[in-house]
Amino acid sequence: MKIQIINGPNLNLLGKREPGVYGATSFEDYLKELRALYPNLALDYYQSNVEGELINKIHEVGFDYDGIILNAGAYTHTSVALQDAIRAVKTPVIEVHISNVHKREEFRHKSMISSACVGVICGFGMDSYRLAVEALKGNGR
Ligand code: DQA
């Protein structure tokens, strides 16, 4: 199985950025753990702070990969273009968030992309990504 993890803006700073909200682990360190848990899966990783680059990556992998795990960061709450990109491709997309966005500011309660995704996982810290892998593997259905 080929799975693409895509992180959006400011998620390159995980580990340094608001550790009280997002934890103290960098994504690179977490990814090592995740890959060790799933040695038989190809877990590719891409991060960009630029909306169009996230869209380009979705187009690039979205007809070929078995799943996309997307944390679109703040673009979650604003981007019609990302919603359209998710709808445009064949690969199922799972929306993830590290924090529980529904416990936070009201502007984070609205997602522009959820309606185009297979499902949403939020609030489990970095473990949200592992739970998304499990969902893509078809466990728990
Ligand atoms: C986030 C939640 C978003 O509201 C925020 O803008 C982020 C991170 C999360 O993973 O909890 O950048 O997507």
Side-chain angles (χ1 to χ4, degrees):
M1 255 188 117
K2 272 163 64 170
I3 294 175
Q4 177 73 54
I5 299 172
I6 302 177
N7 274 345
N10 302 306
L11 294 166
N12 53 312
L13 295 182
L14 284 174
K16 294 185 191 136
R17 170 196 186 198
E18 298 183 82
V21 179
Y22 299 113
T25 311
S26 72
F27 197 80
E28 286 70 18
D29 284 348
Y30 174 72
L31 190 59
K32 280 182 206 153
E33 290 172 29
L34 198 62
R35 284 182 172 145
L37 274 178
Y38 299 103
N40 298 325
L41 298 182
L43 288 173
D44 290 349
Y45 176 56
Y46 179 76
Q47 189 278 331
S48 175
N49 295 317
V50 180
E51 188 176 14
E53 289 180 358
L54 299 171
I55 291 167
N56 286 342
K57 180 53 81 174
I58 291 169
H59 292 177
E60 185 189 315
V61 301
F63 294 90
D64 183 26
Y65 278 53
D66 301 298
I68 296 173
I69 296 170
L70 174 63
N71 185 347
Y75 290 138
T76 304
H77 315 298
T78 61
S79 181
V80 175
L82 268 175
Q83 180 190 137
D84 286 349
I86 296 164
R87 286 192 196 285
V89 298
K90 285 203 169 140
T91 300
V93 179
I94 300 195
E95 174 183 348
V96 305
H97 301 285
I98 297 162
S99 64
N100 181 348
V101 286
H102 300 288
K103 274 191 186 168
R104 301 181 63 194
E105 303 95 323
E106 204 167 332
F107 67 85
R108 296 187 204 275
H109 298 181
K110 171 81 186 163
S111 168
M112 297 300 292
I113 64 173
S114 297
S115 65
C117 291
V118 182
V120 183
I121 296 168
C122 80
F124 296 96
M126 292 291 221
D127 204 36
S128 294
Y129 293 89
R130 185 190 61 80
L131 293 168
V133 171
E134 284 297 314
L136 286 170
K137 284 174 65 203
N139 295 341
R141 274 200 192 145

PDB file of all heavy atoms in Angstrom, residues 31-56:
ATOM      1  N   LEU A  31       7.502  10.409  12.390  1.00  0.00           N
ATOM      2  CA  LEU A  31       7.419   9.612  11.159  1.00  0.00           C
ATOM      3  C   LEU A  31       8.298   8.361  11.246  1.00  0.00           C
ATOM      4  O   LEU A  31       7.917   7.291  10.747  1.00  0.00           O
ATOM      5  CB  LEU A  31       7.834  10.480   9.964  1.00  0.00           C
ATOM      6  CG  LEU A  31       7.592   9.911   8.572  1.00  0.00           C
ATOM      7  CD1 LEU A  31       6.114   9.594   8.347  1.00  0.00           C
ATOM      8  CD2 LEU A  31       8.083  10.899   7.508  1.00  0.00           C
ATOM      9  N   LYS A  32       9.448   8.492  11.888  1.00  0.00           N
ATOM     10  CA  LYS A  32      10.315   7.312  12.075  1.00  0.00           C
ATOM     11  C   LYS A  32       9.564   6.225  12.845  1.00  0.00           C
ATOM     12  O   LYS A  32       9.616   5.045  12.488  1.00  0.00           O
ATOM     13  CB  LYS A  32      11.578   7.702  12.856  1.00  0.00           C
ATOM     14  CG  LYS A  32      12.632   8.353  12.008  1.00  0.00           C
ATOM     15  CD  LYS A  32      13.879   8.666  12.842  1.00  0.00           C
ATOM     16  CE  LYS A  32      14.618   9.834  12.200  1.00  0.00           C
ATOM     17  NZ  LYS A  32      15.410  10.616  13.149  1.00  0.00           N
ATOM     18  N   GLU A  33       8.864   6.651  13.908  1.00  0.00           N
ATOM     19  CA  GLU A  33       8.092   5.688  14.727  1.00  0.00           C
ATOM     20  C   GLU A  33       6.979   5.056  13.887  1.00  0.00           C
ATOM     21  O   GLU A  33       6.743   3.847  13.946  1.00  0.00           O
ATOM     22  CB  GLU A  33       7.439   6.378  15.925  1.00  0.00           C
ATOM     23  CG  GLU A  33       8.404   6.834  16.996  1.00  0.00           C
ATOM     24  CD  GLU A  33       7.690   7.677  18.067  1.00  0.00           C
ATOM     25  OE1 GLU A  33       6.475   7.468  18.298  1.00  0.00           O
ATOM     26  OE2 GLU A  33       8.352   8.548  18.649  1.00  0.00           O
ATOM     27  N   LEU A  34       6.311   5.907  13.120  1.00  0.00           N
ATOM     28  CA  LEU A  34       5.175   5.421  12.311  1.00  0.00           C
ATOM     29  C   LEU A  34       5.661   4.411  11.264  1.00  0.00           C
ATOM     30  O   LEU A  34       5.048   3.355  11.067  1.00  0.00           O
ATOM     31  CB  LEU A  34       4.502   6.622  11.647  1.00  0.00           C
ATOM     32  CG  LEU A  34       3.091   6.434  11.109  1.00  0.00           C
ATOM     33  CD1 LEU A  34       2.119   6.089  12.240  1.00  0.00           C
ATOM     34  CD2 LEU A  34       2.605   7.720  10.413  1.00  0.00           C
ATOM     35  N   ARG A  35       6.778   4.732  10.609  1.00  0.00           N
ATOM     36  CA  ARG A  35       7.320   3.808   9.588  1.00  0.00           C
ATOM     37  C   ARG A  35       7.765   2.497  10.223  1.00  0.00           C
ATOM     38  O   ARG A  35       7.607   1.434   9.624  1.00  0.00           O
ATOM     39  CB  ARG A  35       8.482   4.473   8.845  1.00  0.00           C
ATOM     40  CG  ARG A  35       7.995   5.506   7.840  1.00  0.00           C
ATOM     41  CD  ARG A  35       9.132   6.141   7.077  1.00  0.00           C
ATOM     42  NE  ARG A  35       8.630   6.983   6.004  1.00  0.00           N
ATOM     43  CZ  ARG A  35       9.187   8.118   5.600  1.00  0.00           C
ATOM     44  NH1 ARG A  35      10.296   8.552   6.180  1.00  0.00           N
ATOM     45  NH2 ARG A  35       8.655   8.803   4.610  1.00  0.00           N
ATOM     46  N   ALA A  36       8.289   2.570  11.465  1.00  0.00           N
ATOM     47  CA  ALA A  36       8.719   1.346  12.156  1.00  0.00           C
ATOM     48  C   ALA A  36       7.508   0.471  12.493  1.00  0.00           C
ATOM     49  O   ALA A  36       7.593  -0.764  12.482  1.00  0.00           O
ATOM     50  CB  ALA A  36       9.489   1.706  13.417  1.00  0.00           C
ATOM     51  N   LEU A  37       6.363   1.127  12.761  1.00  0.00           N
ATOM     52  CA  LEU A  37       5.141   0.367  13.084  1.00  0.00           C
ATOM     53  C   LEU A  37       4.572  -0.337  11.855  1.00  0.00           C
ATOM     54  O   LEU A  37       3.883  -1.348  11.980  1.00  0.00           O
ATOM     55  CB  LEU A  37       4.056   1.324  13.604  1.00  0.00           C
ATOM     56  CG  LEU A  37       4.018   1.682  15.076  1.00  0.00           C
ATOM     57  CD1 LEU A  37       2.888   2.688  15.326  1.00  0.00           C
ATOM     58  CD2 LEU A  37       3.814   0.439  15.922  1.00  0.00           C
ATOM     59  N   TYR A  38       4.824   0.247  10.677  1.00  0.00           N
ATOM     60  CA  TYR A  38       4.237  -0.277   9.429  1.00  0.00           C
ATOM     61  C   TYR A  38       5.319  -0.522   8.379  1.00  0.00           C
ATOM     62  O   TYR A  38       5.344   0.145   7.339  1.00  0.00           O
ATOM     63  CB  TYR A  38       3.189   0.703   8.879  1.00  0.00           C
ATOM     64  CG  TYR A  38       2.028   0.936   9.815  1.00  0.00           C
ATOM     65  CD1 TYR A  38       1.949   2.099  10.559  1.00  0.00           C
ATOM     66  CD2 TYR A  38       1.017  -0.017   9.956  1.00  0.00           C
ATOM     67  CE1 TYR A  38       0.887   2.322  11.426  1.00  0.00           C
ATOM     68  CE2 TYR A  38      -0.047   0.198  10.811  1.00  0.00           C
ATOM     69  CZ  TYR A  38      -0.104   1.366  11.551  1.00  0.00           C
ATOM     70  OH  TYR A  38      -1.153   1.578  12.402  1.00  0.00           O
ATOM     71  N   PRO A  39       6.193  -1.504   8.644  1.00  0.00           N
ATOM     72  CA  PRO A  39       7.304  -1.714   7.705  1.00  0.00           C
ATOM     73  C   PRO A  39       6.843  -2.131   6.308  1.00  0.00           C
ATOM     74  O   PRO A  39       7.592  -1.956   5.340  1.00  0.00           O
ATOM     75  CB  PRO A  39       8.135  -2.822   8.377  1.00  0.00           C
ATOM     76  CG  PRO A  39       7.238  -3.448   9.389  1.00  0.00           C
ATOM     77  CD  PRO A  39       6.233  -2.425   9.792  1.00  0.00           C
ATOM     78  N   ASN A  40       5.624  -2.643   6.205  1.00  0.00           N
ATOM     79  CA  ASN A  40       5.159  -3.095   4.884  1.00  0.00           C
ATOM     80  C   ASN A  40       4.411  -2.028   4.092  1.00  0.00           C
ATOM     81  O   ASN A  40       3.996  -2.274   2.963  1.00  0.00           O
ATOM     82  CB  ASN A  40       4.265  -4.333   5.032  1.00  0.00           C
ATOM     83  CG  ASN A  40       5.031  -5.481   5.644  1.00  0.00           C
ATOM     84  OD1 ASN A  40       6.228  -5.626   5.368  1.00  0.00           O
ATOM     85  ND2 ASN A  40       4.381  -6.251   6.502  1.00  0.00           N
ATOM     86  N   LEU A  41       4.251  -0.868   4.690  1.00  0.00           N
ATOM     87  CA  LEU A  41       3.568   0.218   3.968  1.00  0.00           C
ATOM     88  C   LEU A  41       4.590   1.227   3.470  1.00  0.00           C
ATOM     89  O   LEU A  41       5.575   1.503   4.153  1.00  0.00           O
ATOM     90  CB  LEU A  41       2.595   0.956   4.902  1.00  0.00           C
ATOM     91  CG  LEU A  41       1.436   0.183   5.515  1.00  0.00           C
ATOM     92  CD1 LEU A  41       0.584   1.129   6.357  1.00  0.00           C
ATOM     93  CD2 LEU A  41       0.596  -0.469   4.435  1.00  0.00           C
ATOM     94  N   ALA A  42       4.335   1.784   2.294  1.00  0.00           N
ATOM     95  CA  ALA A  42       5.144   2.907   1.826  1.00  0.00           C
ATOM     96  C   ALA A  42       4.473   4.179   2.327  1.00  0.00           C
ATOM     97  O   ALA A  42       3.378   4.535   1.869  1.00  0.00           O
ATOM     98  CB  ALA A  42       5.223   2.899   0.312  1.00  0.00           C
ATOM     99  N   LEU A  43       5.098   4.816   3.307  1.00  0.00           N
ATOM    100  CA  LEU A  43       4.531   6.041   3.896  1.00  0.00           C
ATOM    101  C   LEU A  43       5.366   7.232   3.438  1.00  0.00           C
ATOM    102  O   LEU A  43       6.432   7.510   3.975  1.00  0.00           O
ATOM    103  CB  LEU A  43       4.566   5.953   5.431  1.00  0.00           C
ATOM    104  CG  LEU A  43       3.592   4.993   6.112  1.00  0.00           C
ATOM    105  CD1 LEU A  43       3.877   4.908   7.608  1.00  0.00           C
ATOM    106  CD2 LEU A  43       2.151   5.425   5.870  1.00  0.00           C
ATOM    107  N   ASP A  44       4.878   7.931   2.415  1.00  0.00           N
ATOM    108  CA  ASP A  44       5.602   9.088   1.896  1.00  0.00           C
ATOM    109  C   ASP A  44       5.136  10.347   2.623  1.00  0.00           C
ATOM    110  O   ASP A  44       3.980  10.435   3.033  1.00  0.00           O
ATOM    111  CB  ASP A  44       5.348   9.253   0.396  1.00  0.00           C
ATOM    112  CG  ASP A  44       6.011   8.143  -0.401  1.00  0.00           C
ATOM    113  OD1 ASP A  44       6.810   7.396   0.198  1.00  0.00           O
ATOM    114  OD2 ASP A  44       5.720   8.026  -1.596  1.00  0.00           O
ATOM    115  N   TYR A  45       6.048  11.289   2.740  1.00  0.00           N
ATOM    116  CA  TYR A  45       5.724  12.502   3.501  1.00  0.00           C
ATOM    117  C   TYR A  45       6.049  13.756   2.696  1.00  0.00           C
ATOM    118  O   TYR A  45       7.100  13.845   2.063  1.00  0.00           O
ATOM    119  CB  TYR A  45       6.520  12.518   4.814  1.00  0.00           C
ATOM    120  CG  TYR A  45       6.325  13.785   5.612  1.00  0.00           C
ATOM    121  CD1 TYR A  45       5.048  14.197   5.973  1.00  0.00           C
ATOM    122  CD2 TYR A  45       7.415  14.567   5.994  1.00  0.00           C
ATOM    123  CE1 TYR A  45       4.862  15.367   6.698  1.00  0.00           C
ATOM    124  CE2 TYR A  45       7.231  15.733   6.728  1.00  0.00           C
ATOM    125  CZ  TYR A  45       5.951  16.126   7.072  1.00  0.00           C
ATOM    126  OH  TYR A  45       5.770  17.278   7.780  1.00  0.00           O
ATOM    127  N   TYR A  46       5.123  14.721   2.746  1.00  0.00           N
ATOM    128  CA  TYR A  46       5.328  16.004   2.080  1.00  0.00           C
ATOM    129  C   TYR A  46       4.761  17.105   2.961  1.00  0.00           C
ATOM    130  O   TYR A  46       3.684  16.940   3.538  1.00  0.00           O
ATOM    131  CB  TYR A  46       4.597  16.005   0.728  1.00  0.00           C
ATOM    132  CG  TYR A  46       4.728  17.292  -0.037  1.00  0.00           C
ATOM    133  CD1 TYR A  46       5.903  17.609  -0.708  1.00  0.00           C
ATOM    134  CD2 TYR A  46       3.677  18.210  -0.087  1.00  0.00           C
ATOM    135  CE1 TYR A  46       6.030  18.804  -1.400  1.00  0.00           C
ATOM    136  CE2 TYR A  46       3.795  19.404  -0.786  1.00  0.00           C
ATOM    137  CZ  TYR A  46       4.982  19.685  -1.436  1.00  0.00           C
ATOM    138  OH  TYR A  46       5.102  20.867  -2.125  1.00  0.00           O
ATOM    139  N   GLN A  47       5.503  18.196   3.063  1.00  0.00           N
ATOM    140  CA  GLN A  47       4.987  19.356   3.817  1.00  0.00           C
ATOM    141  C   GLN A  47       5.213  20.606   2.990  1.00  0.00           C
ATOM    142  O   GLN A  47       6.249  20.759   2.335  1.00  0.00           O
ATOM    143  CB  GLN A  47       5.727  19.493   5.159  1.00  0.00           C
ATOM    144  CG  GLN A  47       5.140  20.516   6.127  1.00  0.00           C
ATOM    145  CD  GLN A  47       5.577  21.953   5.856  1.00  0.00           C
ATOM    146  OE1 GLN A  47       6.657  22.198   5.333  1.00  0.00           O
ATOM    147  NE2 GLN A  47       4.722  22.907   6.209  1.00  0.00           N
ATOM    148  N   SER A  48       4.220  21.486   3.003  1.00  0.00           N
ATOM    149  CA  SER A  48       4.405  22.790   2.374  1.00  0.00           C
ATOM    150  C   SER A  48       3.574  23.839   3.109  1.00  0.00           C
ATOM    151  O   SER A  48       2.504  23.537   3.642  1.00  0.00           O
ATOM    152  CB  SER A  48       3.990  22.757   0.899  1.00  0.00           C
ATOM    153  OG  SER A  48       4.079  24.064   0.355  1.00  0.00           O
ATOM    154  N   ASN A  49       4.101  25.049   3.093  1.00  0.00           N
ATOM    155  CA  ASN A  49       3.357  26.177   3.664  1.00  0.00           C
ATOM    156  C   ASN A  49       2.537  26.899   2.598  1.00  0.00           C
ATOM    157  O   ASN A  49       1.884  27.899   2.893  1.00  0.00           O
ATOM    158  CB  ASN A  49       4.341  27.166   4.315  1.00  0.00           C
ATOM    159  CG  ASN A  49       5.046  26.540   5.500  1.00  0.00           C
ATOM    160  OD1 ASN A  49       4.424  25.853   6.309  1.00  0.00           O
ATOM    161  ND2 ASN A  49       6.352  26.741   5.600  1.00  0.00           N
ATOM    162  N   VAL A  50       2.588  26.377   1.367  1.00  0.00           N
ATOM    163  CA  VAL A  50       1.997  27.070   0.217  1.00  0.00           C
ATOM    164  C   VAL A  50       0.781  26.292  -0.296  1.00  0.00           C
ATOM    165  O   VAL A  50       0.896  25.109  -0.663  1.00  0.00           O
ATOM    166  CB  VAL A  50       3.056  27.208  -0.910  1.00  0.00           C
ATOM    167  CG1 VAL A  50       2.466  27.915  -2.113  1.00  0.00           C
ATOM    168  CG2 VAL A  50       4.286  27.937  -0.391  1.00  0.00           C
ATOM    169  N   GLU A  51      -0.357  26.954  -0.326  1.00  0.00           N
ATOM    170  CA  GLU A  51      -1.621  26.279  -0.685  1.00  0.00           C
ATOM    171  C   GLU A  51      -1.527  25.559  -2.039  1.00  0.00           C
ATOM    172  O   GLU A  51      -1.918  24.393  -2.167  1.00  0.00           O
ATOM    173  CB  GLU A  51      -2.734  27.326  -0.705  1.00  0.00           C
ATOM    174  CG  GLU A  51      -4.129  26.767  -0.871  1.00  0.00           C
ATOM    175  CD  GLU A  51      -5.187  27.867  -0.777  1.00  0.00           C
ATOM    176  OE1 GLU A  51      -4.840  29.069  -0.860  1.00  0.00           O
ATOM    177  OE2 GLU A  51      -6.368  27.515  -0.626  1.00  0.00           O
ATOM    178  N   GLY A  52      -1.013  26.253  -3.063  1.00  0.00           N
ATOM    179  CA  GLY A  52      -0.945  25.659  -4.404  1.00  0.00           C
ATOM    180  C   GLY A  52      -0.049  24.431  -4.460  1.00  0.00           C
ATOM    181  O   GLY A  52      -0.297  23.503  -5.233  1.00  0.00           O
ATOM    182  N   GLU A  53       0.993  24.431  -3.643  1.00  0.00           N
ATOM    183  CA  GLU A  53       1.886  23.260  -3.623  1.00  0.00           C
ATOM    184  C   GLU A  53       1.189  22.046  -3.008  1.00  0.00           C
ATOM    185  O   GLU A  53       1.436  20.907  -3.415  1.00  0.00           O
ATOM    186  CB  GLU A  53       3.172  23.593  -2.871  1.00  0.00           C
ATOM    187  CG  GLU A  53       4.049  24.553  -3.658  1.00  0.00           C
ATOM    188  CD  GLU A  53       5.357  24.918  -2.962  1.00  0.00           C
ATOM    189  OE1 GLU A  53       5.595  24.464  -1.825  1.00  0.00           O
ATOM    190  OE2 GLU A  53       6.122  25.673  -3.572  1.00  0.00           O
ATOM    191  N   LEU A  54       0.321  22.303  -2.030  1.00  0.00           N
ATOM    192  CA  LEU A  54      -0.454  21.195  -1.442  1.00  0.00           C
ATOM    193  C   LEU A  54      -1.389  20.614  -2.508  1.00  0.00           C
ATOM    194  O   LEU A  54      -1.553  19.396  -2.633  1.00  0.00           O
ATOM    195  CB  LEU A  54      -1.256  21.677  -0.228  1.00  0.00           C
ATOM    196  CG  LEU A  54      -0.422  22.244   0.928  1.00  0.00           C
ATOM    197  CD1 LEU A  54      -1.330  22.884   1.977  1.00  0.00           C
ATOM    198  CD2 LEU A  54       0.441  21.165   1.558  1.00  0.00           C
ATOM    199  N   ILE A  55      -1.991  21.507  -3.285  1.00  0.00           N
ATOM    200  CA  ILE A  55      -2.895  21.080  -4.365  1.00  0.00           C
ATOM    201  C   ILE A  55      -2.111  20.287  -5.417  1.00  0.00           C
ATOM    202  O   ILE A  55      -2.554  19.219  -5.862  1.00  0.00           O
ATOM    203  CB  ILE A  55      -3.597  22.317  -4.973  1.00  0.00           C
ATOM    204  CG1 ILE A  55      -4.571  22.888  -3.939  1.00  0.00           C
ATOM    205  CG2 ILE A  55      -4.319  21.955  -6.269  1.00  0.00           C
ATOM    206  CD1 ILE A  55      -5.095  24.267  -4.266  1.00  0.00           C
ATOM    207  N   ASN A  56      -0.934  20.790  -5.788  1.00  0.00           N
ATOM    208  CA  ASN A  56      -0.107  20.064  -6.765  1.00  0.00           C
ATOM    209  C   ASN A  56       0.221  18.655  -6.280  1.00  0.00           C
ATOM    210  O   ASN A  56       0.184  17.696  -7.054  1.00  0.00           O
ATOM    211  CB  ASN A  56       1.198  20.816  -7.038  1.00  0.00           C
ATOM    212  CG  ASN A  56       0.977  22.044  -7.899  1.00  0.00           C
ATOM    213  OD1 ASN A  56      -0.054  22.179  -8.567  1.00  0.00           O
ATOM    214  ND2 ASN A  56       1.936  22.958  -7.890  1.00  0.00           N
TER     215      ASN A  56
END
